[in-house]
């Protein structure tokens, strides 16, 4: 049997310190108990013995009812109301924390909305998957689009981008159900200060999509051998900035030199 790996001293306490929600519990003996043990006043308090535990509090919901103050003059009906709370969506119970939890569950934890609907029902919260889907769409179009645009703008200033595309099927978009669509993926280098991954859905695999996305990009683009990238490389005034048909072995062999070259490009632009 393999030797048991020795656990680093203090690692458990260090890991627990990363958790932002902390509660301290103090367990003491009474003065009466201590006087009985040692005698009246013949004892002192030493440093506490520390024991760390981790509790799990299941996800909870809090229904909030706002009571908006309404006022009028005594001698007429001129009405004044206190300010309403800022609403994520007008006339909706949705709040930023609720919609954020749905987005996190669906896109980070890969939980389908129908399962999330069932989990909510177990907590006596009735929100249909259709309503959740609507919130996801409205939240993306009304709020997250600005984050997407900012990430895209920041990525265009990076010195190196990886690009790839993969087929997906989307139903009810006006085409036959078997039609192929494509998810184009763009990723900055891990060494960047703010590394990012951006997904862009398109109905086709045409070169116009990466051409539009990469407009203004002056760094090195790492791709596979798909013809659309070759077409864009021929259109470029600097073919040296395109790495096409790169296999995994080549990436491992030239990865460091690619990064170093990207830094030289970055310093020139």
């Amino acid at each position: 049997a393999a030797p048991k790996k020795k656990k680093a001293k203090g690692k458990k306490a260090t890991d627990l310190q990363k958790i932002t929600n902390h509660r301290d519990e103090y367990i003491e003996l009474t003065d009466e108990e201590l006087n009985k043990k040692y005698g009246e006043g013949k004892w002192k308090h030493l440093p506490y013995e520390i024991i760390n535990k981790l509790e799990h509090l299941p996800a909870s919901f809090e229904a909030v009812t706002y009571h908006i103050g309404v006022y009028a003059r005594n001698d007429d009906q001129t009405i004044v109301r206190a300010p309403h709370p800022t609403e994520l969506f007008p006339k909706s119970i949705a709040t930023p924390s609720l919609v954020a939890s749905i987005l996190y569950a669906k896109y980070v934890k890969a939980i389908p909305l129908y399962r999330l609907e069932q989990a909510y029902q177990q907590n006596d919260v009735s929100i249909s998957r259709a309503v959740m889907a609507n919130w996801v769409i409205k939240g993306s179009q009304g709020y997250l689009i600005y984050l997407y645009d900012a990430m895209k703008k920041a990525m265009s200033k990076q010195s190196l981008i990886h690009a790839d595309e993969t087929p997906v099927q989307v139903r009810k978009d006006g085409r036959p159900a078997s039609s192929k669509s494509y998810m184009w993926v763009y990723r900055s280098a891990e060494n960047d200060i703010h590394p990012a991954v951006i997904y862009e859905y398109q109905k086709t695999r045409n070169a116009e999509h990466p051409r539009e996305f990469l407009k203004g990009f002056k760094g090195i683009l790492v791709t596979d051998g798909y013809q659309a990238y070759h077409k864009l490389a021929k259109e470029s005034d600097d073919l040296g900035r395109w790495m096409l048909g790169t296999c995994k072995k080549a990436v491992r062999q030239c990865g460091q030199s690619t990064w170093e070259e990207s830094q030289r490009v970055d310093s020139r632009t």
Side-chain angles (χ1 to χ4, degrees):
K4 188 175 181 180
K5 187 177 180 180
K6 188 175 181 180
K7 195 170 184 179
K9 187 176 181 180
K11 184 178 185 302
K12 180 170 65 175
T14 301
D15 290 343
L16 291 178
Q17 287 176 358
K18 299 175 183 177
I19 300 174
T20 56
N21 189 24
H22 282 266
R23 183 179 84 245
D24 289 307
E25 296 279 355
Y26 291 87
I27 304 175
E28 305 276 6
L29 294 177
T30 65
D31 289 356
E32 182 180 348
E33 291 173 318
L34 291 167
N35 289 335
K36 184 177 180 180
K37 176 70 175 178
Y38 294 111
E40 184 73 26
K42 296 180 179 181
W43 54 271
K44 60 183 178 181
H45 205 305
L46 300 177
Y48 285 99
E49 176 185 2
I50 304 299
I51 299 176
N52 292 304
K53 301 293 182 182
L54 182 63
E55 297 279 1
H56 173 66
L57 303 178
S60 60
F61 295 88
E62 182 180 38
V64 181
T65 301
Y66 291 95
H67 298 262
I68 310 299
V70 182
Y71 313 89
R73 289 172 57 122
N74 291 330
D75 56 352
D76 61 32
Q77 293 300 314
T78 303
I79 295 176
V80 175
R81 291 181 174 82
H84 284 214
T86 302
E87 293 186 296
L88 189 66
F89 308 130
K91 299 180 180 180
S92 170
I93 64 170
T95 59
S97 62
L98 180 59
V99 176
S101 70
I102 294 172
L103 290 168
Y104 176 78
K106 178 172 173 59
Y107 294 104
V108 178
K109 305 297 288 184
I111 301 175
L113 292 182
Y114 81 89
R115 287 178 54 194
L116 197 58
E117 177 185 3
Q118 294 171 351
Y120 279 19
Q121 288 174 344
Q122 293 172 359
N123 289 275
D124 297 323
V125 175
S126 297
I127 302 176
S128 70
R129 70 196 76 175
V131 170
M132 292 184 191
N134 186 44
W135 288 350
V136 168
I137 294 171
K138 290 175 66 176
S140 300
Q141 294 176 341
Y143 297 96
L144 296 183
I145 186 63
Y146 299 106
L147 177 60
Y148 173 89
D149 290 340
M151 291 175 62
K152 183 178 177 181
K153 183 177 180 181
M155 183 177 285
S156 68
K157 298 177 181 179
Q158 301 298 329
S159 54
L160 184 145
I161 293 178
H162 296 263
D164 199 6
E165 77 293 329
T166 187
V168 295
Q169 283 191 327
V170 177
R171 295 179 292 177
K172 298 182 180 180
D173 68 347
R175 299 179 298 163
S178 59
S179 300
K180 277 187 178 181
S181 299
Y182 288 86
M183 189 67 74
W184 296 76
V185 184
Y186 303 89
R187 177 169 186 153
S188 60
E190 291 182 348
N191 309 62
D192 287 330
I193 298 177
H194 301 293
V197 180
I198 297 179
Y199 296 82
E200 183 179 66
Y201 167 79
Q202 296 291 352
K203 291 183 178 180
T204 69
R205 205 183 182 195
N206 295 341
E208 63 188 71
H209 305 311
R211 180 188 295 114
E212 179 63 25
F213 186 93
L214 297 167
K215 185 180 295 183
F217 175 62
K218 300 297 183 182
I220 293 176
L221 181 70
V222 181
T223 75
D224 60 15
Y226 176 47
Q227 189 60 36
Y229 299 118
H230 286 274
K231 183 176 180 180
L232 295 181
K234 292 178 181 179
E235 297 174 1
S236 173
D237 58 356
D238 188 355
L239 296 180
R241 290 183 175 178
W242 295 72
M243 294 183 62
L244 304 172
T246 308
C247 65
K248 291 182 179 179
K249 182 178 179 181
V251 169
R252 288 195 298 269
Q253 291 175 343
C254 71
Q256 183 60 34
S257 61
T258 300
W259 172 250
E260 292 172 354
E261 172 61 21
S262 71
Q263 297 309 293
R264 289 194 291 271
V265 170
D266 191 48
S267 64
R268 296 197 299 266
T269 57

